[in-house]
């Protein structure tokens, strides 16, 4: 695994005229090329670590795979530099990715949607009936999630530069936490972990993200069968529309003891 953080010199200034040089810890951002059966599929910018989970989650979000036995192998390429190229071997029963989804340019860590060939490619058929998920949870359980997520952000404590995503059960117990420079990568790492562990669909689970709830994060949650998505910040209008259509509970502005429930309020009980 590559380095997660690096030390860089900075000039520290203040309005009081104080000047000084010191080292600062930064989160690493490096490209990861994803290949399927040796053929390049995409390049994404990510924080090294949990790369197998990242790739598995990405392929699940794209509808290429749906369960652990769809994957035969995940391995770093022998010709790769610093483990920045990963090749996927799919099971014989899994069709190869549609050539139309190949991203011919780098995907930035800020946006996972940018490389889509068309808006129609976002409309992946959802494999699970989220609306039928009977899970219920209380506002108190939801209110504890940001603090529990923050407590698990070990690299953020050193850098201040990473997003995080965490999977919780209905009682608020954490199951998996992942960090990355890209919020979509953090979610892919969590979903990929669950897929490789044979846990999909994630019935009765809560996905908590450290930033806003975008359309793509909502789509990734839906693809994994997650009934509740909670975010520290605001959702986008398209995220709300998608959550409503999928039968998902979407919670935003989850801070302190207050929150906004945008969709699926029937799951949040007093």
């Amino acid at each position: 695994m590559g380095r997660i953080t690096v030390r860089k010199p900075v000039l520290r200034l203040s309005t009081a005229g104080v000047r000084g040089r010191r080292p600062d810890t930064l989160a690493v951002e490096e490209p990861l090329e994803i290949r399927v059966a040796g053929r390049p599929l995409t390049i994404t910018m990510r924080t090294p670590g949990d790369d197998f989970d990242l790739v598995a989650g990405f392929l699940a979000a794209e509808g290429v795979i749906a369960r652990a036995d769809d994957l035969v192998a995940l391995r770093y390429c022998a010709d790769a530099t610093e483990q920045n190229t990963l090749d996927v071997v799919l099971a014989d029963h899994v069709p190869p990715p549609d050539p139309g989804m190949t991203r011919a340019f780098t995907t930035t860590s800020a946006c996972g949607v940018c490389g889509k060939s068309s808006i129609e490619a976002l409309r992946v058929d959802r494999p699970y009936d989220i609306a039928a998920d009977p899970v219920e949870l209380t506002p108190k359980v939801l209110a504890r999630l940001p603090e529990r997520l923050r407590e698990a952000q070990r690299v953020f404590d050193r850098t201040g530069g990473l997003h995080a995503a965490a999977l919780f059960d209905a009682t608020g117990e954490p199951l998996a936490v992942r960090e990355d420079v890209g919020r979509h990568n953090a979610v892919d790492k969590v979903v990929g972990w669950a897929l490789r562990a044979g846990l999909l669909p994630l019935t009765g689970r809560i996905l908590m993200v450290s930033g806003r709830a975008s359309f793509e994060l909502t789509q990734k949650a839906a693809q994994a069968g997650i009934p509740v998505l909670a975010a520290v910040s605001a959702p986008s209008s398209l995220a709300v529309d998608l959550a409503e259509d999928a039968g998902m509970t979407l919670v935003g502005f989850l801070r302190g003891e207050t929150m906004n429930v945008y969709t699926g309020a029937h799951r949040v009980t007093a």
Side-chain angles (χ1 to χ4, degrees):
M1 183 181 72
R3 294 178 298 172
I4 298 175
T5 63
V6 294
R7 300 278 281 175
K8 296 287 186 179
V10 299
L11 175 63
R12 181 77 168 177
L13 304 175
S14 78
T15 55
V18 177
R19 298 169 61 92
R21 291 193 174 274
R22 70 174 194 181
D24 192 25
T25 302
L26 305 178
V28 170
E29 181 177 26
E30 291 182 350
L32 177 68
E33 180 181 349
I34 302 171
R35 300 178 183 175
V36 176
R39 300 184 63 179
L41 178 65
T42 188
I43 297 175
T44 187
M45 303 302 295
R46 99 300 188 196
T47 300
D50 303 301
D51 286 340
F52 287 7
D53 290 343
L54 169 61
V55 172
F58 168 78
L59 294 176
E62 297 292 337
V64 177
I65 61 175
R67 56 184 189 270
D69 62 5
D70 289 342
L71 291 171
V72 172
L74 292 159
R75 57 199 176 204
Y76 291 104
C77 296
D79 60 345
T81 302
E82 298 184 357
Q83 295 187 328
N84 281 339
T85 304
L86 201 154
D87 192 36
V88 181
V89 179
L90 300 175
D92 290 340
H93 65 267
V94 180
D98 189 310
M101 70 173 284
T102 300
R103 303 179 187 184
F105 50 87
T106 299
T107 302
T108 72
S109 58
C111 175
V113 174
C114 307
K116 297 284 188 177
S117 59
S118 67
I119 193 66
E120 285 75 20
L122 293 172
R123 299 192 178 102
V124 182
D125 289 336
R126 290 188 292 271
Y128 308 114
D129 184 6
I130 296 172
D133 195 311
V135 66
E136 293 184 348
L137 56 156
T138 66
K140 287 184 178 180
V141 167
L142 287 168
R144 289 198 302 265
L145 300 186
E147 181 179 357
R148 304 203 72 174
L149 175 63
R150 181 68 183 81
E151 289 171 351
Q153 289 183 256
R154 296 182 176 87
V155 182
F156 181 88
D157 284 337
R158 293 149 55 197
T159 67
L162 290 181
H163 292 284
L167 192 67
F168 293 89
D169 67 18
T171 69
E173 288 301 312
L175 304 174
V177 181
R178 296 291 185 269
E179 293 181 280
D180 200 277
V181 288
R183 59 173 57 89
H184 63 285
N185 287 341
V187 171
D188 279 341
K189 287 178 177 181
V190 167
V191 172
W193 166 83
L195 181 143
R196 296 176 67 215
L199 299 178
L200 295 191
L202 288 167
T203 304
R205 303 297 191 252
I206 309 164
L207 177 65
M208 177 76 208
V209 296
S210 60
R212 62 188 178 87
S214 66
F215 169 80
E216 188 184 33
L217 298 194
T218 308
Q219 183 201 18
K220 289 177 182 293
Q223 283 295 107
I226 297 172
V228 183
L229 172 61
V232 173
S233 298
S236 68
S237 63
L238 198 56
V240 173
D241 290 345
L242 176 59
E244 183 72 40
D245 183 65
M248 182 187 298
T249 298
L250 178 60
V251 180
F253 289 109
L254 183 51
R255 302 169 184 174
E257 297 181 356
T258 63
M259 64 204 73
N260 292 346
V261 182
Y262 293 86
T263 65
H266 65 281
R267 291 194 177 98
V268 184
T269 62

